Amino acid sequence: MNTNRLSPAIEKALSDQMNKEIHASHTFLSYGIWADDKGYQGIANFLYRHAQEERNHSIKFMEYVLNRGGKPKVAAIPAPPADPKTLTACFDGIFKHEVDNTTAIYKIVDLSLQEKDWATWNFMQWFVQEQIEEETLAQNLIDKLKIAGGDRATDESLFTLDKSLKESPDDAPLAQNATGANP
Ligand code: FEO
């Protein structure tokens, strides 16, 4: 008996996304190694933690496809992008990567809507929310570096930025949870 409740198109899209999340993990690992090598241990720590989160995302896609009776396929992962030249380029790259990933997530949401695959649509809502957080985190990195002086930041302000990122949480607060007293 065929127990696969995913259409071939949805199964492939979810499997591709499983691999895409591993590519994101490698990208952040690679950026983290670059930052560590430059002496930014706090930024590296932030990126290593983020690399682990991306791997967790990949596992969620893997589990979901298996639970629906499909079989995800591990594919060759493209090499991560080249090392950034500056911290600004590093943070811009992270932001762009997240926005690109959101586009990929929306495509799967759209496909699930077209196919009226409500289980997949429901599963994907977790990722829609997660991408809001991840884009916010990436945007906050750009803002923090800008305040520190961008590529002309002093060693002292970069030291403070690096230290703050080591201690910064993995998730950004969602607008849905904001109140007047705690915006
Ligand atoms: Fe798994 Fe940063 O998206």
Side-chain angles (χ1 to χ4, degrees):
M1 182 183 178
N2 180 12
T3 56
N4 191 347
R5 282 140 291 154
L6 299 170
S7 74
I10 294 227
E11 184 176 2
K12 183 174 184 318
L14 293 167
S15 187
D16 287 350
Q17 190 61 31
M18 173 188 79
N19 288 297
K20 198 168 162 52
E21 299 286 347
I22 289 292
H23 180 247
S25 180
H26 282 195
T27 298
F28 293 130
L29 192 65
S30 176
Y31 279 10
I33 291 169
W34 171 80
D36 219 339
D37 182 57
K38 294 276 174 218
Y40 300 121
Q41 289 177 349
I43 294 169
N45 180 285
F46 176 89
L47 289 166
Y48 293 153
R49 280 184 280 138
H50 205 78
Q52 189 59 28
E53 269 206 32
E54 299 297 357
R55 183 175 160 74
N56 291 344
H57 293 169
S58 176
I59 296 296
K60 286 182 199 302
F61 281 103
M62 178 194 83
E63 270 301 324
Y64 178 74
V65 174
L66 286 166
N67 286 348
R68 301 298 292 161
K71 185 167 180 287
K73 189 172 173 5
V74 172
I77 308 297
D83 281 348
K85 295 262 186 292
T86 61
L87 269 182
T88 300
C90 176
F91 290 178
D92 286 354
I94 293 167
F95 180 77
K96 189 178 172 313
H97 200 89
E98 289 299 353
V99 172
D100 286 350
N101 199 42
T102 302
T103 304
I105 295 285
Y106 286 0
K107 275 191 188 154
I108 304 176
V109 175
D110 197 36
L111 191 59
S112 66
L113 190 70
Q114 283 173 40
E115 294 199 9
K116 296 189 166 53
D117 177 346
W118 305 124
T120 299
W121 185 90
N122 182 266
F123 170 71
M124 291 305 298
Q125 295 312 302
W126 187 90
F127 285 95
V128 171
Q129 176 160 316
E130 181 69 7
Q131 285 307 117
I132 297 172
E133 287 188 33
E134 303 228 316
E135 284 184 17
T136 305
L137 266 189
Q139 188 180 305
N140 289 348
L141 287 180
I142 292 173
D143 289 347
K144 279 182 180 157
L145 181 59
K146 222 181 273 172
I147 291 165
D151 286 333
R152 292 190 311 279
T154 61
D155 287 347
E156 198 182 0
S157 58
L158 285 179
F159 179 79
T160 308
L161 173 71
D162 187 57
K163 198 161 171 285
S164 80
L165 283 177
K166 180 164 189 183
E167 290 143 15
S168 77
D170 293 328
D171 301 314
L174 283 168
Q176 291 94 308
N177 298 325
T179 62
N182 191 14

